[in-house]
Amino acid sequence: MKKMILSAVLCGGVLVASSSMLTVHADDTLTGTTAVSSEVVKGDVTLKVDAATDFGQKALSAVEDFGTKDINYTVTDYSGDVKGFTISAKLTDTDAKRSLKIGEVELSDTAAPVVTKTADVVGENTDKVSAALKYTGVDKVQKLTSSIEWSLTKGTTLQIAE
């Protein structure tokens, strides 16, 4: 029994000695490096216009003046230059009886500038234009529709200077 206890103590001592030799201690302070990078690039420029504007109803008469309605628009500009923009509009259909104005500009099948801004902010530029609709010479009861095509042109330094 003494031999067994002695051999157990010796084995235990060998195990403790061998495990203490394999133990590694870390430094108290560790250092590292992380590279952080980013890049700013040109973003989109978009135009969003009200999809529909309803001028309501008028009784049949020689001149149907439907009055004015506002059409909302948003120019979202993440291009990085804040030099303004121009919005042009044209009618995609022709009708000699119709007068559709945006501001003071009467629309036709040729694009004409209806909004000119000399500066804009990065992000959303929200505003509205006033549209006036009048029909002359309508001789029957009917639903009248028009379609406006909008286009956006970014401003340049030269355009703003003029």
Side-chain angles (χ1 to χ4, degrees), residues 8-140:
V9 169
L10 285 175
C11 280
V14 169
L15 283 174
V16 168
S18 66
S19 67
S20 66
M21 286 190 269
L22 295 175
T23 303
V24 176
H25 295 286
D27 292 339
D28 290 341
T29 304
L30 299 175
T31 59
T33 304
T34 301
V36 177
S37 62
S38 61
E39 181 180 7
V40 176
V41 297
K42 278 193 167 193
D44 293 333
V45 178
T46 61
L47 172 65
K48 179 182 174 192
V49 182
D50 284 346
T53 300
D54 186 0
F55 278 87
Q57 298 176 339
K58 296 290 269 186
L60 183 63
S61 65
V63 176
E64 283 87 15
D65 186 350
F66 287 90
T68 61
K69 292 279 182 183
D70 287 335
I71 300 175
N72 299 300
Y73 70 88
T74 301
V75 175
T76 305
D77 185 356
Y78 290 103
S79 65
D81 35 42
V82 287
K83 296 184 174 71
F85 55 85
T86 300
I87 299 174
S88 298
K90 72 175 183 176
L91 290 171
T92 60
D93 52 349
T94 58
D95 186 346
K97 298 176 181 182
R98 174 192 53 222
S99 170
L100 180 57
K101 291 183 176 182
I102 304 290
E104 295 300 315
V105 179
E106 185 163 352
L107 300 186
S108 68
D109 58 355
T110 305
V114 293
V115 174
T116 301
K117 298 280 185 177
T118 57
D120 61 327
V121 298
V122 173
E124 290 188 354
N125 297 269
T126 301
D127 207 347
K128 59 189 169 194
V129 291
S130 181
L133 179 63
K134 184 191 301 185
Y135 279 88
T136 55
V138 176
D139 54 4
K140 63 182 178 179

